[in-house]
Amino acid sequence: ANKHAVIVSGGHNEKNEQESIQFLIDRNCDALVLCADFVSDDYLINLSKKAIQVVIINRYIAEIAENCIYIDNSLGSYQATQYLIEQGHQHIAYISGPLWKPDATDRLNGYKNALVDSNITFDEKLSYEADYTTIGGRQAMLSLLENKAVFTALVCANDEMASAAMRVAREKHLKVPEDCSIIGFDNIYFSEYLYPQLSTIENPINKMAKMAVQCVLKNTYNQKELVIQNLFKTELVLRESTQHLMCSKV
């Protein structure tokens, strides 16, 4: 589009994100495309009232929904859990992200909703709150196994934690998917290079980023012919880490 992009990292806390956003404002950028986890909803709502255009990726705020490009996180984990139920699994564990994050809460709710819709009681012993990292995923899987939680399948709130859970399963002499089917979330680049290849939920972040730019081109640079899509749906990507329970050794 013959525009220059100024890119900064927000770090991993609210203060750094605010400083990074202010850095862009001070340089008179025409618009802001933000992937911000730590600043509050109120901060972003107030920011959106200023003259500079703001587009937010991968986050939904009802008051400024037209500025948000996001996915249905609840639908994604629902799809993963429902698929496992359809394959005969009744004992399905879940590793969540940090529940102060709305996307992590939504993904956990999708898992719970799928259980409810299939008349399966949610068991707190089968749920572990982690932090979206491989270290957190490893600790979560170890905890589930050490507490002797009984499950034949596992849904993880992202692929990094799923990859760690797969590694722990192998260390504990469990076969994936024969002893435990595992599904991740995000479909990041390495998921198809794991062994076995990881079943996951497609998170169309590239499409959302492109749409955010189109939103800027339409509203800041007056390309009114562009059509904006705010909500993107997730899709189940099946690979080798899941199988029908009737085919497993459990």
Side-chain angles (χ1 to χ4, degrees):
N2 295 317
K3 310 297 179 186
H4 294 288
V6 180
I7 301 172
V8 296
S9 172
H12 295 285
N13 60 65
E14 182 177 13
K15 180 176 181 291
N16 287 345
E17 281 192 349
Q18 288 184 0
E19 289 178 350
S20 295
I21 292 169
Q22 190 60 47
F23 173 90
L24 296 174
I25 294 173
D26 291 344
R27 274 141 190 84
N28 296 314
C29 292
D30 294 332
L32 303 178
V33 176
L34 305 179
C35 188
D37 288 330
F38 293 90
V39 292
S40 68
D41 287 357
D42 287 341
Y43 173 87
L44 292 172
I45 291 169
N46 289 330
L47 185 64
S48 296
K49 295 177 182 178
K50 299 181 183 297
I52 189 170
Q53 184 191 359
V54 177
V55 184
I56 302 164
I57 298 178
N58 203 35
R59 181 167 172 177
Y60 174 78
I61 302 172
E63 292 84 349
I64 50 172
E66 70 278 3
N67 298 62
C68 300
I69 309 296
Y70 58 99
I71 64 167
D72 188 339
N73 282 289
S74 178
L75 173 64
S77 54
Y78 186 99
Q79 290 170 320
T81 308
Q82 183 61 34
Y83 171 77
L84 292 170
I85 293 171
E86 291 172 353
Q87 302 311 301
H89 297 277
Q90 295 289 304
H91 303 284
I92 303 170
Y94 187 83
I95 300 176
S96 81
L99 295 179
W100 63 267
K101 291 174 60 66
D103 61 345
T105 301
D106 289 344
R107 293 180 187 188
L108 175 60
N109 287 337
Y111 159 76
K112 290 181 176 180
N113 291 339
L115 297 180
V116 169
D117 288 349
S118 294
N119 296 314
I120 300 174
T121 301
F122 170 70
D123 185 351
E124 290 187 1
K125 295 178 181 178
L126 295 181
S127 178
Y128 189 102
E129 180 181 353
D131 60 0
Y132 280 148
T133 69
T134 52
I135 295 173
R138 178 178 179 81
Q139 181 56 50
M141 187 62 164
L142 285 170
S143 179
L144 289 169
L145 295 175
E146 289 171 357
N147 291 333
K148 301 189 183 304
V150 177
F151 57 97
T152 60
L154 171 67
V155 177
C156 296
N158 76 348
D159 291 342
E160 289 190 40
M161 295 191 298
S163 68
M166 290 171 61
R167 172 67 179 269
V168 171
R170 286 194 297 271
E171 291 174 358
K172 299 298 183 180
H173 308 293
L174 297 174
K175 294 182 179 180
V176 178
E178 292 87 347
D179 296 326
C180 181
S181 289
I182 296 179
I183 297 183
F185 198 120
D186 287 335
N187 195 25
I188 60 177
Y189 72 95
F190 68 67
S191 58
E192 62 180 314
Y193 297 102
L194 297 172
Y195 180 77
Q197 291 182 333
L198 179 65
S199 294
T200 186
I201 297 296
E202 170 70 21
N203 183 352
I205 189 63
N206 290 334
K207 294 179 181 178
M208 289 195 291
K210 182 177 180 180
M211 186 59 63
V213 173
Q214 289 186 200
C215 191
V216 170
L217 293 176
K218 178 173 183 173
N219 296 314
T220 299
Y221 300 111
N222 205 35
Q223 296 186 23
K224 298 302 183 183
E225 75 281 0
L226 294 173
V227 177
I228 304 305
Q229 176 183 348
N230 293 89
L231 174 62
F232 284 75
K233 290 187 177 181
T234 55
E235 295 181 3
L236 179 63
V237 179
L238 293 177
R239 298 195 180 103
E240 299 169 348
S241 66
T242 54
Q243 71 174 26
H244 196 288
L245 183 60
M246 294 298 292
C247 298
S248 84
K249 297 179 180 180
V250 177

